[in-house]
Amino acid sequence: MTTTLDHAKCLSPRRNTTTADSVEALVAEQLTHFGIDSDSEYGQALSSTATHLYQAQSDVMSLWDITSSSLKSLNKEDRLAYFNAKKFLSFQIAKILDTLQNPFRATYQSLSGGNGSQGHYPLFDNVTALFSATPVIVRTATYVYACTEWVDDAFQGKEFTHQIYSRLLNPTNISLANAIVDMEAGPYSADYLAWNFNSGMAAIDGMLSNVLSHGDILIVSRNVYGGVYQLLHDYFARENRMNIRLAWFDGYTREEFASFYAQTRAEYENELNDGANLHVYLESPCNPHGYVLDVPGICEEAHGHDSLVMLDSTLATPVLHQPLQHADKAARPDYIVHSYTKDICGSGATTAGVVIAESYRMFQPKGACVNGYDWSRTLFWDVYYIKGAFLDSEKAFDVLNGMKTLEQRMMTKVINTKVFTAFLDAHPQLRVNSHAVVTHRNAGLCEKQHKHGWPCALFTVDMARAGLDRHAFTRFFDALEPAFSHQVSIGQTNTIILCPALTSHSELSPEEQKKAGIELTTMRIAMGTDNVKQLIAHFILAARHFIDPQVAGFTNDFMSPEQVDELYQRISMEVCEQHFSNVPKTAELLQE
């Protein structure tokens, strides 16, 4: 059983080398460490203060133990009372630190001889930031050491509140990591940890670098972001690099995956027998068509053979799909990656990414081993600590701000996606690739897997049936500005359109593009939160000007303005009803 002394030792400047056998001895040791005469007036006051702090540390640890053991059995009234009592305790501790600020500053100033040559010492000026209502942007590269043994523990990953270097940890960055884990894992948040990267691609590279070993086999879903294809094909698969053998999975269902998995195992039987690993990388919904894969089913199949599953869930966001909240752990992916750059941030002003996984795969103190998984294999020590693709505090703050409006933005995008795809699908010469269209072959998986069956806001439309020549098509496409933004990203508040064959998937060969369902006239549309009726009107006007002269009567086959109005009204009411009716009833919120 942990004793008061054990709890108190972590506050000692000699936490690892102390010989003290009581709190009193710890206090005496602390005064000696800093050369303070215990019989002096200052020494007596310091001794009394330190004694209270050591005891407080033990009491707080007891509070934590009691909370951990009793939280599930408490009713909501008691949980509320416990929370506010602890919140006020935090303010009390902060107030003590703030009170220490003036004598601390005065002592420091006295060392400079009055000329200010030593500069400003900010440590206790930062205390008031504890009262900030939003995460503080911590713009620093380095941090002040407490003492030698504390910073030694920090370098060993054993002192979580003592950060060393912002390339490794930063308070704003950690705040974002906690927020995305809460959003993605929900009731299982305590089991998961996240590391933030400077871009979505940096996150994917970090994850793959941590999971894959030289010569491994990786099953990859066919429709992945072009940058991921390039990373896998041009780096990881090269013999003089990682020599990863890539197996491209063209299906979407559990049954298709089970068949392909067995086929891949048979194909690489010799390599697997020689020690190679077989893992899985999925993107769902996938780029550029937005197709959904049966993530839970594929995870169960892969885990049945001890393969790890990595999932890029960027397009789903935690609003549409929360794969880490599946009741059956076998149905959850082992790793989830997001490009914060897209919907989660939403502004289009920040590039950032994140990897989420079970805590023991992400970080352990040096020397630890959890679930047979050594600390050296964790993503932090194996990759994050070394590569330096960290997320800086300003970007972390931007993403945190964007997350506040994510659910509202996604609901608007769902409305816009359902309206615009229905409008396009009604035209006989347009071919829409979106599970928002109820007759689409991927609609069933979307209905089964996504919240309310809501579609992702990315899809493609092909004008090949109209028989347009390249010149007419490009003139029409260029005329879609300014309503449709010609940009290469997705997930912003504005609606973005591009031709994948010429941009996001240009790294693929013509043959690979065909396999991915990408034609020259394929347009990828990433819906924003704009006025969808304004978008429809602009689309029709551009078609009248550039397509009707070549394909007579083309725009006559669009919905009438009255039909568009009725469609918009109906779908808006339907989506809002789904969303607001899903909010827990007040009586449920009051229940124990």
Side-chain angles (χ1 to χ4, degrees):
M1 182 176 177
T2 304
T3 66
T4 298
L5 183 62
D6 292 327
H7 284 317
K9 280 182 180 178
C10 73
L11 292 188
S12 169
R14 292 186 54 192
R15 56 166 59 165
N16 297 321
T17 60
T18 181
T19 58
D21 57 3
S22 67
V23 168
E24 292 74 17
L26 282 174
V27 172
E29 202 172 56
Q30 178 172 328
L31 267 64
T32 301
H33 182 82
F34 290 105
I36 305 297
D37 182 359
S38 61
D39 293 327
S40 67
E41 185 179 7
Y42 183 83
Q44 291 175 16
L46 180 60
S47 177
S48 177
T49 302
T51 299
H52 287 300
L53 290 176
Y54 282 119
Q55 184 61 53
Q57 168 68 12
S58 180
D59 292 340
V60 168
M61 290 304 298
S62 295
L63 277 177
W64 172 239
D65 291 339
I66 294 169
T67 301
S68 299
S69 62
S70 65
L71 190 59
K72 290 182 180 179
S73 64
L74 295 176
N75 60 40
K76 286 193 175 180
E77 291 179 39
D78 283 339
R79 290 181 191 180
L80 183 61
Y82 276 37
F83 171 82
N84 282 305
K86 290 184 176 71
K87 171 191 170 187
F88 185 71
L89 194 63
S90 298
F91 274 69
Q92 288 177 304
I93 294 171
K95 180 62 178 174
I96 292 171
L97 285 172
D98 192 50
T99 303
L100 187 58
Q101 174 179 316
N102 287 330
F104 182 81
R105 178 185 291 114
T107 304
Y108 175 75
Q109 289 171 340
S110 71
L111 297 173
S112 67
N115 59 14
S117 60
Q118 290 188 181
H120 179 60
Y121 200 78
L123 185 61
F124 280 89
D125 289 343
N126 296 336
V127 173
T128 51
L130 293 171
F131 301 97
S132 173
T134 59
V136 177
I137 301 177
V138 181
R139 298 185 63 181
T140 184
T142 58
Y143 301 83
V144 179
Y145 292 173
C147 62
T148 303
E149 292 195 13
W150 282 37
V151 78
D152 180 46
D153 278 352
F155 273 96
Q156 303 298 317
K158 299 174 183 177
E159 176 46 64
F160 302 107
T161 58
H162 195 147
Q163 296 174 12
I164 305 166
Y165 200 50
S166 276
R167 177 169 58 81
L168 308 176
L169 298 174
N170 174 282
T172 318
N173 191 320
I174 294 300
S175 182
L176 173 59
N178 291 336
I180 190 63
V181 168
D182 287 344
M183 184 178 286
E184 189 67 85
Y188 306 107
S189 294
D191 300 329
Y192 288 89
L193 190 65
W195 293 119
N196 297 315
F197 291 78
N198 203 39
S199 70
M201 283 303 301
I204 292 169
D205 175 60
M207 176 179 63
L208 291 171
S209 297
N210 177 236
V211 172
L212 298 177
S213 297
H214 190 273
D216 281 350
I217 299 98
L218 185 66
I219 294 177
V220 188
S221 55
R222 173 68 66 182
N223 297 114
V224 295
Y225 172 56
V228 175
Y229 174 89
Q230 190 173 27
L231 175 66
L232 290 171
H233 186 271
D234 295 346
Y235 182 82
F236 280 93
R238 282 170 52 184
E239 288 187 20
N240 66 330
R241 297 294 186 181
M242 293 287 286
N243 194 32
I244 302 299
R245 271 60 70 95
L246 303 175
W248 296 94
F249 171 54
D250 288 298
Y252 304 95
T253 67
R254 175 177 186 158
E255 293 72 24
E256 290 172 314
F257 178 81
S259 175
F260 185 80
Y261 188 93
Q263 172 188 325
T264 304
R265 282 184 63 87
E267 181 179 351
Y268 292 102
E269 182 179 7
N270 292 335
E271 288 83 355
L272 293 171
N273 289 336
D274 287 339
N277 301 299
L278 173 57
H279 299 308
V280 181
Y281 180 94
L282 307 174
E283 185 176 318
S284 177
C286 57
N287 196 336
H289 308 299
Y291 295 163
V292 169
L293 280 69
D294 184 355
V295 173
I298 291 173
C299 287
E300 288 177 335
E301 289 291 335
H303 290 153
H305 298 278
D306 297 324
S307 291
L308 296 176
V309 179
M310 296 163 277
L311 171 66
D312 183 342
S313 194
T314 295
L315 287 170
T317 80
V319 173
L320 299 184
H321 189 206
Q322 296 169 322
L324 295 183
Q325 296 190 32
H326 201 288
D328 182 2
K329 187 177 177 182
R332 303 178 205 164
D334 301 282
Y335 295 84
I336 282 186
V337 64
H338 283 290
S339 172
Y340 284 138
T341 312
K342 314 304 189 298
D343 281 300
I344 292 178
C345 182
S347 67
T350 292
T351 59
V354 64
V355 178
I356 309 168
E358 283 189 273
S359 299
Y360 76 90
R361 293 186 183 277
M362 300 295 275
F363 178 83
Q364 295 178 43
K366 284 185 178 180
C369 184
V370 178
N371 296 337
Y373 202 85
D374 192 72
W375 67 271
S376 62
R377 297 172 59 194
T378 62
L379 191 143
F380 180 84
W381 296 112
D382 185 44
V383 174
Y384 198 76
Y385 182 78
I386 299 170
K387 287 200 171 188
F390 69 103
L391 182 64
D392 63 76
S393 58
E394 288 86 353
K395 288 184 175 184
F397 185 81
D398 285 345
V399 179
L400 278 163
N401 264 347
M403 290 171 72
K404 296 176 182 177
T405 60
L406 176 60
E407 189 171 37
Q408 290 76 21
R409 286 185 284 109
M410 289 303 294
M411 185 170 67
T412 301
K413 289 190 177 190
V414 166
I415 292 171
N416 287 354
T417 300
K418 289 170 76 75
V419 170
F420 197 53
T421 54
F423 162 75
L424 295 173
D425 190 59
H427 196 292
Q429 292 179 289
L430 297 179
R431 182 173 56 208
V432 181
N433 263 320
S434 172
H435 50 231
V437 178
V438 294
T439 57
H440 193 275
R441 65 183 184 276
N442 195 240
L445 272 175
C446 177
E447 183 69 29
K448 168 187 172 184
Q449 194 162 277
H450 279 194
K451 182 179 181 180
H452 307 310
W454 284 355
C456 79
L458 187 76
F459 59 92
T460 60
V461 57
D462 197 323
M463 306 187 77
R465 293 174 182 168
L468 296 176
D469 60 36
R470 181 187 176 108
H471 182 59
F473 170 73
T474 55
R475 293 178 71 204
F476 162 75
F477 183 82
D478 289 346
L480 292 176
E481 277 273 13
F484 298 82
S485 298
H486 287 172
Q487 296 172 235
V488 298
S489 190
I490 58 178
Q492 299 176 190
T493 53
N494 55 316
T495 295
I496 295 171
I497 192 167
L498 57 70
C499 294
L502 304 177
T503 53
S504 64
H505 289 67
S506 60
E507 297 90 354
L508 278 65
S509 66
E511 294 75 20
E512 292 292 337
Q513 287 180 356
K514 284 283 187 182
K515 290 179 182 178
I518 297 171
E519 305 284 346
L520 178 63
T521 58
T522 297
M523 293 178 288
R524 188 191 75 176
I525 299 174
M527 295 302 300
T529 58
D530 357 39
N531 183 337
V532 70
K533 291 200 285 186
Q534 182 66 45
L535 295 173
I536 289 172
H538 190 99
F539 197 89
I540 293 172
L541 291 172
R544 280 182 188 171
H545 196 77
F546 292 105
I547 297 180
D548 277 357
Q550 186 177 42
V551 183
F554 179 86
T555 57
N556 293 337
D557 286 329
F558 282 126
M559 285 182 171
S560 68
E562 294 74 20
Q563 288 174 317
V564 171
D565 290 338
E566 187 279 329
L567 175 70
Y568 177 76
Q569 182 75 10
R570 175 172 55 82
I571 289 179
S572 296
M573 295 296 290
E574 173 188 292
V575 171
C576 287
E577 172 67 20
Q578 289 172 328
H579 173 70
F580 292 114
S581 65
N582 192 56
V583 176
K585 292 180 171 55
T586 305
E588 295 174 5
L589 295 174
L590 290 170
Q591 288 175 358
E592 307 306 340

